[in-house]
Amino acid sequence: MLKALSGGTFRRDFTSSIVVFLVAMPLCMGIAVASGVPPEKGLITGIIGGIVVGLLAGSPLQVSGPAAGLAVIVFEIVREQGLSALGPILILAGAIQVIAGLLRVGGWFRAISPAVVHGMLAGIGVLIVVGQFHVLFDDKPLSSGLANLLAMPGQIFGLSNQDAATAFAIGLVTIGGMLGWEKLRPASMKLLPGALVGVVLATLVAFILGLPVARVVVPESIVAAVSLPEQGLLQQLMNPAILTTAVAIAFIASAETLLSAAAVDRMHDGVRTNYNRELSAQGVGNLLCGFAGALPMTGVIVRSSANVQAGAKTRLSAILHGIWILGFVALLPWLLREIPMAALAGILVVTGVRLVSVDHVKHLLHRYGPLPAVVWAATLIMVVTTDLLTGVLVGIGLSLLELLPHARRLGLGLDEDHRDDAHEVALRGTATFLTLPKLSAKLESVPAEHRVILNVERLSHIDHTCAEMVREWIDRRRGTGASVELSGATGRLRNLVAWSPIPSRRRVAAAPLPPASRSVDIADDAADNILAAALGRDGLANLDRADRCRFR
């Protein structure tokens, strides 16, 4: 936390927290309304998610708060069991999450295929765009992504409505200000996020011209919204219906949180997520939400992606956004009431578009073949047409197809050897997402100051999930100036050598290459998969022989 308060990161975290706060306010209240509870319930969850979970979180740049993915479930709970049942359910769900984190099961979510994670992100991005498009016209999103998509032409043709046209113009001012600033801002002001500039610009235009557009609605009292558990709490906790619902909430909230954390990790190059700590932190947050009678929380990708894109560097940004929610609702509600809803929708539209990474699916197709690309597309389609959890489960199910050719040899052995200043990790067997937690833990345990030799001589296969994890691990070590050597491969990878332990541009002399062989064994393919993942978009095809020997 002391590091977060230093001058180098504080300014970025401060400005990012304002952007996240501006994005979170209407989402907290909107999700509460969609869940069938008063808007204040969502604000309480946002405050707890920011301040408490922000302090405890294992994913520093992830933002926690009420999630749209749980709105339908909460609505059913309130309708069938009453609002009073929500508190006990969240208390149980939070306790389950805390215990799961302590039992260290959170790391298994790292085994989720990158194709599934990016497909989830793309699907969420599409839903954001088609939903917030209607808010640009001061209208409300419809009940599903497909309904929002089909209704988009009607919004455009309905621009004869003066108020809708005015709101749309404010949204365009926000988007234009945001993108224009990001492209043209001077170097001396590079830390000022475009999203903040867009919101301020749109708010000033609406205020000065007195435009009749919808603005943020802030509740009068946040304290009155806190409702402590009623008498008979213990009997409610023993109710089978409440216990069953709590397990479902805990599973879905944990899945959304840790998948979101994995997605956030892929957006930045900073500290990686501690999944077990994050899971326990979410449990503490849901426990407090249960005692306060608020909504359930998860790690939320919309606010988290806005946090990363705004330039956040530490957990301080998430903490501050919770403080801003509390402070502004309590002390300065009039200021929030001047912000046009269309301006916030403009930020979310840009954020949603950026979540749909076509470059990533091209990377998957080029690097690993059609199956991961199909998984990406199927996950995206199912998230848009059904819901987030269904889409992720479909993606995971399709990922299992990659295991079929290796069903009889799914084990992965890991051996370590220390010699001089080198640390060798030898892989044998099959590296798939089922063994990813084991492989990841081993690689992360390698001392940072040692040169690493990654021996793949006895590795028969590596899937794209493990290969992407290895690529990310190599990139992080490269960023610290450490060296890695791929060894033990035969055929065309026989002469690969490591980087120099001291970062240098000096080329390492290559041994003569043997005549190319027409047959490439399985170990070659596995090693090639790792190398291709590590070398980035252009791959082996663009390397000459000397470059291949560097593996820099």
Side-chain angles (χ1 to χ4, degrees), residues 39 59 86 117 135 161 188 209 213 220 237 256 259 270 324 333 372 391 439 441 452 476 544:
S59 181
L86 187 57
V117 174
V135 183
N161 183 315
S188 61
L209 299 180
V213 294
E220 293 297 332
L237 294 177
E256 291 195 23
L259 287 173
W324 302 151
L439 176 58
V452 180
R476 291 199 300 276
D544 58 28

Side-chain angles (χ1 to χ4, degrees), residues 197-215:
V197 172
V199 168
V200 171
L201 179 61
T203 301
L204 288 175
V205 170
F207 177 78
I208 293 172
L209 299 180
L211 300 179
V213 294
R215 289 173 168 81

Side-chain angles (χ1 to χ4, degrees), residues 12-312:
R12 295 192 180 191
D13 289 330
F14 181 83
T15 54
S16 299
S17 69
I18 296 175
V19 173
V20 177
F21 157 69
L22 293 174
V23 172
M25 281 293 296
L27 289 177
C28 289
M29 293 184 286
I31 292 170
V33 172
S35 302
V37 301
E40 295 87 348
K41 302 291 186 181
L43 291 170
I44 294 173
T45 299
I47 292 168
I48 295 173
I51 299 174
V52 179
V53 178
L55 281 169
L56 303 176
S59 181
L61 299 188
Q62 178 162 257
V63 179
S64 299
L70 294 175
V72 174
I73 300 174
V74 174
F75 185 86
E76 293 295 326
I77 292 173
V78 173
R79 186 182 66 178
E80 296 177 4
Q81 303 182 46
L83 184 58
S84 61
L86 187 57
I89 288 172
L90 294 189
I91 292 172
L92 278 176
I96 292 171
Q97 288 181 300
V98 171
I99 294 171
L102 294 176
L103 293 177
R104 307 184 66 81
V105 302
W108 278 96
F109 284 85
R110 289 200 67 181
I112 301 298
S113 163
V116 175
V117 174
H118 282 272
M120 177 192 75
L121 277 174
I124 292 172
V126 171
L127 291 176
I128 291 171
V129 172
V130 299
Q132 294 302 309
F133 181 82
H134 297 281
V135 183
L136 286 174
F137 298 85
D138 274 353
D139 202 352
K140 295 181 179 180
L142 302 178
S143 59
S144 70
L146 288 178
N148 282 320
L149 181 63
L150 294 175
M152 288 173 69
Q155 289 284 15
I156 297 175
F157 292 130
L159 278 179
S160 57
N161 183 315
Q162 185 64 39
D163 290 343
T166 301
F168 185 59
I170 287 294
L172 292 181
V173 167
T174 306
I175 295 172
M178 178 178 177
L179 298 180
W181 178 257
E182 290 175 353
K183 185 176 182 179
L184 302 175
R185 61 188 167 191
S188 61
M189 302 186 70
K190 64 181 180 180
L191 297 182
L192 186 61
L196 178 59
V197 172
V199 168
V200 171
L201 179 61
T203 301
L204 288 175
V205 170
F207 177 78
I208 293 172
L209 299 180
L211 300 179
V213 294
R215 289 173 168 81
V216 173
V217 177
V218 179
E220 293 297 332
S221 173
I222 193 68
V223 178
V226 176
S227 54
L228 299 176
E230 300 175 353
Q231 292 183 350
L233 175 62
L234 184 60
Q235 289 79 1
Q236 285 183 298
L237 294 177
M238 301 300 293
N239 187 326
I242 287 181
L243 180 60
T244 302
T245 308
V247 172
I249 289 283
F251 174 78
I252 296 173
S254 300
E256 291 195 23
T257 291
L258 298 183
L259 287 173
S260 174
V264 172
D265 277 354
R266 288 172 170 82
M267 296 178 183
H268 66 91
D269 299 322
V271 178
R272 304 292 97 181
T273 294
N274 181 326
Y275 290 88
N276 297 309
R277 178 175 173 177
E278 178 68 23
L279 188 55
S280 292
Q282 293 289 327
V284 172
N286 276 319
L287 270 169
L288 293 177
C289 287
F291 281 110
L295 288 176
M297 76 170 59
T298 74
V300 279
I301 192 63
V302 175
R303 277 149 275 182
S304 300
S305 60
N307 193 34
V308 174
Q309 290 175 12

